Amino acid sequence: VPSGMRAQALSYLAEIERHFDPYTPDDVRRVIRAYALYVLRLAGKADARKAQLLVDEVGVEKLPLEALAWVLPTLHEDAKTRALADRIERHLQNRATETAAMAHFATHYDDGAHLLLHSDRRADALVLEALMITEPGSDLIPKLVRGLLGHRTAGRWSSTQENAFVLVALDRYFGQYEKATPDFVARAWVGETFAGKHEFRG
């Protein structure tokens, strides 16, 4: 990407509050601001102060789940805001709907969900990505992965937004937790009778 174009894009994100339509609902504005902070962090320009101010506007319990997931890594990586990141992690743990094998989050917006292309699967993917950065040993991580994989239809999710964010999160998961190259033989028996084997290598 040309450096000038990249600089203009980052400058736009740094002052995203100046570019909203006056009729954009407040919750939608907060989520877009959180996404801007997420992208700035990826570009090496994390702003923990702005992330904290965003959370402080309405509090952890009232900020949309996607916004919490997008700002969590930024808050976690700054010593001054680590305590707030810990509160967000506890809140996310409490909000999860868990079974023995899977977990997911149910989210909603009173107004403006269509402006964000919102979906529960995307929210699950965002929380998964954030927890892998801030709490890599969390029991919720493998459950979220199984939940996301279990919600595929014909090998994909229900929209381009879901596909994109879920694949980003799963790519990080496999790179972080399953990076060892397979090198084993699986064998199966029926009672005492050997039923077959298959090699998994490479």
Side-chain angles (χ1 to χ4, degrees), residues 110-133:
D110 294 331
D111 188 21
H114 63 287
L115 299 173
L116 298 168
L117 304 175
H118 165 72
S119 78
D120 285 345
R121 297 293 79 76
R122 185 177 76 171
D124 291 349
L126 297 177
V127 173
L128 171 62
E129 184 182 5
L131 289 178
M132 286 187 289
I133 296 167

Side-chain angles (χ1 to χ4, degrees), residues 98-164:
E98 295 185 64
T99 66
M102 294 190 284
H104 69 91
F105 293 91
T107 58
H108 76 282
Y109 291 85
D110 294 331
D111 188 21
H114 63 287
L115 299 173
L116 298 168
L117 304 175
H118 165 72
S119 78
D120 285 345
R121 297 293 79 76
R122 185 177 76 171
D124 291 349
L126 297 177
V127 173
L128 171 62
E129 184 182 5
L131 289 178
M132 286 187 289
I133 296 167
T134 66
E135 192 67 33
S138 172
D139 294 339
L140 203 54
I141 290 172
K143 289 185 173 186
L144 285 168
V145 170
R146 284 193 290 270
L148 287 169
L149 293 174
H151 280 96
R152 288 175 300 175
T153 301
R156 61 182 175 81
W157 293 270
S158 65
S159 70
T160 303
Q161 283 283 310
E162 284 190 4
N163 286 329

Side-chain angles (χ1 to χ4, degrees), residues 23 74 81 95 121 123:
Y23 299 105
T74 298
T81 54
R95 285 281 307 271
R121 297 293 79 76

Side-chain angles (χ1 to χ4, degrees), residues 9-10 14-15 33 53 64 74-75 104 106 108 130 154 159 170 173 185 193:
L10 292 176
E15 54 185 30
R33 286 165 57 201
L53 290 173
T74 298
L75 295 169
H104 69 91
H108 76 282
S159 70
L170 290 179
Y173 174 81
V185 179
T193 306

Side-chain angles (χ1 to χ4, degrees), residues 41 68-78 81-82 84-90 92-93 126-138 141 172 176-177:
R41 176 188 166 274
L68 291 173
W70 270 322
V71 299
L72 178 56
T74 298
L75 295 169
H76 176 82
E77 291 166 356
D78 190 300
T81 54
R82 178 70 60 83
L84 177 56
D86 292 342
R87 280 182 50 215
I88 293 172
E89 286 173 14
R90 284 193 299 275
L92 293 175
Q93 293 278 352
L126 297 177
V127 173
L128 171 62
E129 184 182 5
L131 289 178
M132 286 187 289
I133 296 167
T134 66
E135 192 67 33
S138 172
I141 290 172
R172 175 183 283 274
Q176 191 167 327
Y177 296 91

Side-chain angles (χ1 to χ4, degrees), residues 163-174:
N163 286 329
F165 283 98
V166 171
L167 289 174
V168 166
L170 290 179
D171 179 64
R172 175 183 283 274
Y173 174 81
F174 290 115

